[in-house]
Amino acid sequence: MKQVSMLVLLLCATSLFAQPGDHYHDFYEIQDYIFQVQEEFPAWVSIDSIGHSKEENLPIHLIKISDHVAQDMDRPTVLIMGQLHAEEILGIEIVLRLLDFLTLETNYDAIQFRRNLEIYLVPTMNPEGLRVVWGQDDDCPPDSIDDSFRKNKHDTMGDGIFHYAVGPGGDFSGVDLNRNFDINWFAGDTLLQRRGRELYDYYRGPYPVSEPEVQCMVEAIYEIQPLLSVMFHSSRTGDYSRQVMFPHNWGNDNFERVPPDYDILYDIANDFANEMTYTPIASVGRNGKLHDWMYTAGGWINMQTEVGTAEIQPNEAGMEAVITRVFPGVMHLLNRARANPELEADVCHLKVVATNENGSPMVAEVFLPDRHDGYMSPRYTDPVFGVHRRMLLHGTYQVVTRQWGYVPDTTQVFLSTDFVTTHNVQLEPLPHHHVSIGIYDGEDGPAMPGKLVIHRAYGIDTVFTESGFHVRDWPVGDYEVEAWADGYVPRRFVFTLNDDIALHATLSQPVSTIQYDFEQEEIPEAWAWDGDFPWGRSGMDKHDGIAALESDPGQTIDEGTSGWASVTFSLPENPDYATITGWRCYEFEPDDDFCYIEIRYDNGEWIPLETLNGFSRWQQFFYNLNDRGNATTIELRWCITTDDTDVDRGLFLDDVALHTSEYLSVEDDVELPGSWQLGHPYPNPFNPETTVEFVVPVQADVTIAVYDILGREVLRALDNVMDVGIHRVSINMNDFASGMYFVRMNAPGYTAVRKMMLLR
């Protein structure tokens, strides 16, 4: 590899630009300088304002560096950010010095980086906080330079006053931007929460991604899709100096909770840290941090790099020493991103190129089953080139490329030491059929505005229709469609699409409604709970009003616990149609902690309805009570269990209601032959046995089999002629490994598939 150390030393020993007074740059100096560089190198440097700060509307600048800067190139991207916390200004100087280096005209490495990468720099993500640090803020007292201010200037009190105190802590105004990202946000500090001497400094904001500074960076990151990224920090106390923090180890004292890509994350962080004689550390704080969000949201690898020493803003010699130490690490990351063949590291890039039947680039999910957990969002190819890149270590990986409406591709891909392995996938479209959905006001009424929630392969779509009609061609497969309209009782339709259909969603207004909104101090007597944690009213999160019902109000649920809450409704005499609706929000440790929802009639046997896991913002739910018979009471129960690893806040419920309405004909609701049904496995996840319920409308030969994620049949649970009626089959997987499986039911003219998770 070509040596750059001498260049780095020279570069860091002498500033390449005139510094007006201080050796650090304030917001206005940064702005003037980067535009000066753009003017000098217009073919290589382009500056865009991606957003503005919360209170002062100051621009946040994104600098792009490439030898074809005016167009997007099919290249790996790197994002380097200088400052997020206002006081931590060392990173700004590193980024500005890097800008100087990357625009050198004859340097070999700078030329290679411009030719092989799309590089993006953000000097400061917190411009208004930077002005406070420099004492340039009009809302601060005269001569109030505060080199310890951390946040933006969010008006937390709502009185239009910047509540500010010189010195560490005591600032009532402002949000800590590195606690505002949408991962584990709930674990961050609430307003005016005290932590020792640093009062109020870590406020997470009123809700995830509430701050414009965070919003614009989130949008930019989705656009850039950086293969590698760095955010520079400086430790106020010196406790975290010279550390490289990477995602993540959220386990408690006895358990580890590390991501499925831990090996590559550690490898990159370790090599990066070694170049700087820093220490790599898997971060442990679960509180809305940028690098954790980037990994879970898109698999983008970000290194939270704590530069400097015990002095958060060292003198000029100290600043130059930090830059000299950090630059070799940055050079290493850039070389790793461009897959420099001379780099001494296990550098393997997987490049997936997805095209449709016409050979055009397409957006498709790239799924590596062994490299995924419940915290992680799907990873997609980009819409311009149809490309998805990710960094891995040498080895063989199962790569699934899939998109709704196409036959998924599953391939074993071997990543050699050739650095970049390209996997080209052309997806084959599935047959499509015409689907017409209408939302009607009763059986004889007109179509009306409403909402359709469409559960389909690989996702959920929500469609709002003013006309009341939704007409599309859909691919064959299994669907659940919910139809909603304001003031009406919702309905659900489950079907397998294998021919053209017309779905008539006839809705009715409720005749009677019993609703619980938890606005009163006393919880209604219809509600009961028991277990290892107390249920109660909470204002921490609610759908409407001032409160909701929460499991363990205001706290996280303890490890290794269980508990339940239930509500009992008395039914009016012989209602034609009954439905329970409500709103819920939940946070359960993905893959480990669960909420099982059950129902029973007249104190009979509990019937499973669904299982909740992972994280969800407020969403509506409803359950049709079509199987109630002549029951006079209905009880709905939410059962929560946690394991011995990390825990979250659990479940919130609001506006839970029982609706009864007049009879609606269902004969013409779905113009599709048959009324076969395959229920969801229960329990799910399970170990080692679960049960599946299914409905047989006519005597026929029925098979129910279990398939692994590769589509191979691994267990035949049923193969027999079945009589008309409701049946159950038990599935025992004692001899199988943990993982995702699929249970499939086949009958004449009917096929349905359900997911299930075996946890050993």
Side-chain angles (χ1 to χ4, degrees), residues 439-447 504-508 662-665:
I439 303 175
Y440 296 93
D441 182 0
E443 293 191 48
D444 301 321
H504 306 279
T506 53
L507 307 184
S508 65
E662 295 179 350
Y663 177 77
L664 292 175
S665 171

Side-chain angles (χ1 to χ4, degrees), residues 156-167:
T156 58
M157 301 298 163
D159 57 7
I161 300 173
F162 181 38
H163 294 273
Y164 165 78
V166 177

Side-chain angles (χ1 to χ4, degrees), residues 631-642:
T632 59
T633 63
I634 297 171
E635 188 175 3
L636 191 63
R637 182 168 73 171
W638 293 264
C639 304
I640 296 174
T641 62
T642 66

Side-chain angles (χ1 to χ4, degrees), residues 58-295:
L58 298 173
I60 297 172
H61 295 115
L62 178 71
I63 308 168
K64 180 181 178 182
I65 302 170
S66 168
D67 65 347
H68 290 78
V69 75
Q71 64 184 99
D72 292 329
M73 306 294 291
D74 180 16
R75 297 172 176 173
T77 55
V78 177
L79 172 64
I80 299 180
M81 296 167 278
Q83 177 222 32
L84 188 154
H85 290 136
E87 62 185 340
E88 300 171 15
I89 60 178
L90 262 173
I92 295 174
E93 305 309 314
I94 298 172
V95 167
L96 294 180
R97 202 67 61 87
L98 182 60
L99 175 61
D100 291 334
F101 168 71
L102 292 171
T103 53
L104 290 175
E105 298 187 65
T106 59
N107 179 264
Y108 174 83
D109 292 280
I111 294 170
Q112 292 303 312
F113 293 147
R114 292 195 299 265
R115 285 179 177 174
N116 294 281
L117 297 172
E118 302 273 272
I119 304 171
Y120 296 86
L121 308 178
V122 178
T124 175
M125 192 178 139
N126 188 1
E128 64 189 29
L130 183 60
R131 291 186 69 235
V132 175
V133 169
W134 278 87
Q136 297 171 331
D137 194 287
D138 297 336
D139 294 326
C140 300
D143 302 321
S144 59
I145 292 177
D146 186 353
D147 59 6
S148 68
F149 187 73
R150 179 182 183 90
K151 303 176 288 183
N152 69 355
K153 290 181 60 181
H154 185 120
D155 181 9
T156 58
M157 301 298 163
D159 57 7
I161 300 173
F162 181 38
H163 294 273
Y164 165 78
V166 177
D171 305 305
F172 288 80
S173 296
V175 167
D176 186 329
L177 300 179
N178 206 33
R179 302 296 185 271
N180 192 239
F181 288 88
D182 194 10
I183 175 69
N184 297 322
W185 169 86
F186 67 88
D189 286 8
T190 57
L191 182 61
L192 307 186
Q193 183 173 346
R194 296 171 179 259
R195 285 187 183 273
R197 64 185 178 88
E198 298 176 294
L199 310 182
Y200 319 134
D201 268 357
Y202 301 94
Y203 176 45
R204 67 192 180 194
Y207 53 87
V209 197
S210 62
E211 306 309 290
E213 298 93 337
V214 173
Q215 294 167 11
C216 72
M217 280 310 309
V218 165
E219 184 176 348
I221 288 167
Y222 272 112
E223 181 73 19
I224 294 168
Q225 299 196 23
L227 185 67
L228 282 175
S229 176
V230 177
M231 170 60 84
F232 290 112
H233 288 255
S234 302
S235 174
R236 176 184 295 181
T237 62
D239 296 340
Y240 299 103
S241 295
R242 298 181 180 177
Q243 294 183 359
V244 174
M245 297 185 182
F246 62 95
H248 55 248
N249 182 2
W250 293 331
N252 53 29
D253 292 339
N254 301 315
F255 295 88
E256 286 189 346
R257 182 62 194 253
V258 297
D261 287 320
Y262 186 85
D263 55 352
I264 183 65
L265 293 167
Y266 175 79
D267 187 80
I268 295 170
N270 185 60
D271 288 350
F272 175 44
N274 285 342
E275 293 288 334
M276 305 177 292
T277 61
Y278 278 23
T279 302
I281 295 176
S283 63
V284 296
R286 301 180 67 211
N287 46 17
K289 293 180 179 176
L290 168 69
H291 65 290
D292 288 331
W293 171 80
M294 287 185 66
Y295 174 71

